[in-house]
Amino acid sequence: MSESMKRARWTRAWPLLLIVVGVVVALVYNASLDSRAEVGKAAPDFTLLTPDGQELSLSDLRGKPVFLHFWATWCPTCVEAVPAWQAFEERYGDRATILNVNVREGTNLIRRYHENFAAKGLELTMTVVRDQTGRVADQYLLWAIPESWGIDPNGVAREYLRGAFFFEDLQRMYELATGVPIDAGGVGPVPEGGTLYRVDFGPDGLWTATSDGLTLASEQQDSLRADETAWPELAGKTVNDISYANGAVWVAAADQGLWRYADGVWHRVQGLPAGHVLAVAAEPNEGRVIYVWIPGAGLYRSDNGGSSWRYAGTLDSRLLVQGLAVVPGQPERLFVGALQGLYESRDGGASWERKPAVERHVFDIAIERSTGRILLATDLGVMVSHDGGRTVDYLMSAPRRRLHSIALNPNDPNHLVIGAPNGDVYRSDDAGASWIWLPWS
């Protein structure tokens, strides 16, 4: 056979050979996807590399729930959610594993992403693996970024979520994966299924207002100790708010009205409309001016330390108010936190301005005496404003989770505490630059 005839035969054979190779590759690839992720079935195992080149398999993580997140550095929703995942990792890393699967990006992009967060005050320590080819994303039916899977300790997929989700979603996913609430048995003075509403500084320690009463706690070096029930008659009752000023503690209790504690004696405050007192704030310096919020009745004010009260203004009584704060030394200026955002009055409640920059639920407000810095406990962490609420930003160092309370130590401006609904309390000793979780002992 001549050389020209051989070349012609090979030329005709190449297309067929390419087709055969393509079919083989497709069969191999499809075989690798025979086990696609499905809720209720074993999650497909995989082995990927971490950014520093270490192999990690999903099966290596058996024994604890695994929350599998598919993400990318270009995803704006991920930027908002990643701090919440990090907060969960720091709080519950002994009970569950977060595995972040980066889709089709290089190590340099991932490194810069982490560096950008670190520059803002948040070190990301969660485990990251790289799905450069997208094969694992295909196995897990990736439709959009971000998406997540909850996998139980035995490796069975229990939940599939599209879009961003946050700290509380992970708490719920844990219970779905294990059948047990992540805070089974309760946290400190908050029983399982209960709620912490406030933690604040008082004359003799930290006071916690919960759905189960009022408790006095003391700070240890790295923990909290619940010392006693601050007032036995409130045991088992819902206590919504606490305000401490000039030696007196004001307590708002559901169906129990407003109470004042000073010099070891409790007094029930008279002169307010009947109803559920949801929030209370006393002017911090002298404590003579006090505001309270009563759902359905509105805002009331006392100018004489609670001896008499008057209706205080035009704020819509239908607002879902959560907290009040009076600017130190300026009793006519106060802020209201509500599920609808943040509001300010500069004339004792006669008129109000909504702060459009605050687009979160606001549960509590703290105002620094020396700087005027405003700190907000919101449904997505702590927000901070240096200009009276006109502009706000997240305090990146604070845990990105739903927070019901934030308080400043009146004797130490660098000492702050924040409280979460489940009873978790965090402390900062450097004006909010860093935080530690305080387990209850």
Side-chain angles (χ1 to χ4, degrees), residues 84-378:
W85 306 346
Q86 177 65 34
F88 186 91
E89 170 88 359
E90 293 174 1
R91 174 62 176 88
Y92 296 117
D94 60 330
R95 306 181 211 180
T97 299
I98 291 180
L99 183 59
N100 293 332
V101 181
N102 178 270
V103 181
R104 296 187 178 94
E105 292 187 309
T107 56
N108 288 337
L109 279 174
I110 297 172
R111 186 186 69 253
R112 287 198 295 271
Y113 190 81
H114 282 66
E115 290 172 349
N116 288 338
F117 271 105
K120 297 175 182 177
L122 181 62
E123 295 285 345
L124 299 180
T125 60
M126 296 171 288
T127 302
V128 176
V129 290
R130 298 166 53 222
D131 182 20
Q132 274 199 296
T133 66
R135 187 175 69 84
V136 174
D138 289 342
Q139 283 182 296
Y140 281 82
L141 310 172
L142 185 68
W143 181 78
I145 290 178
E147 290 184 3
S148 301
W149 290 79
I151 301 169
D152 74 16
N154 298 315
V156 176
R158 294 300 180 189
E159 187 166 17
Y160 166 55
L161 295 173
R162 287 179 176 175
F165 66 99
F166 300 96
F167 191 100
E168 292 72 27
D169 299 305
L170 289 167
Q171 289 177 309
R172 179 186 53 76
M173 190 182 287
Y174 178 93
E175 183 172 357
L176 185 65
T178 64
V180 178
I182 199 164
D183 294 313
V187 178
V190 181
E192 182 180 326
T195 303
L196 181 146
Y197 292 106
R198 288 291 186 270
V199 56
D200 204 352
F201 295 94
D204 43 10
L206 284 176
W207 295 52
T208 57
T210 77
S211 56
D212 199 46
L214 187 67
T215 301
L216 180 63
S218 59
E219 288 185 84
Q220 311 299 306
Q221 182 176 0
D222 55 2
S223 65
L224 284 174
R225 186 179 73 240
D227 291 336
E228 59 185 78
T229 299
W231 188 42
E233 290 188 47
L234 279 179
K237 306 292 186 180
T238 297
V239 180
N240 298 300
D241 203 359
I242 308 165
S243 182
Y244 174 56
N246 197 28
V249 179
W250 299 86
V251 174
D255 302 323
Q256 301 292 317
L258 183 69
W259 292 81
R260 181 180 184 269
Y261 173 82
D263 301 321
V265 179
W266 285 96
H267 298 281
R268 184 162 186 172
V269 177
Q270 303 297 322
L272 286 168
H276 176 176
V277 180
L278 184 67
V280 56
E283 190 280 314
N285 289 349
E286 297 183 1
R288 297 288 296 170
V289 175
I290 305 106
Y291 294 89
V292 299
W293 178 263
I294 302 174
L299 187 70
Y300 282 76
R301 168 177 171 160
S302 173
D303 295 308
N304 51 20
S307 297
S308 61
W309 297 85
R310 62 181 174 83
Y311 182 68
T314 59
L315 187 63
D316 189 343
S317 62
R318 294 170 297 179
L319 280 179
L320 299 176
V321 170
Q322 305 295 309
L324 306 171
V326 184
V327 177
Q330 302 180 51
E332 301 301 313
R333 188 180 177 200
L334 68 152
F335 287 88
V336 166
L339 298 189
Q340 295 91 338
L342 181 68
Y343 297 78
E344 180 189 12
S345 174
R346 292 174 174 265
D347 51 16
S351 61
W352 294 88
E353 175 192 2
R354 187 181 183 277
K355 302 297 184 180
V358 181
E359 297 179 342
R360 308 300 320 180
H361 300 336
V362 178
F363 294 99
D364 198 14
I365 308 159
I367 304 172
E368 291 184 347
R369 296 173 188 248
S370 58
T371 66
R373 183 174 72 150
I374 299 172
L375 298 163
L376 308 175
T378 79

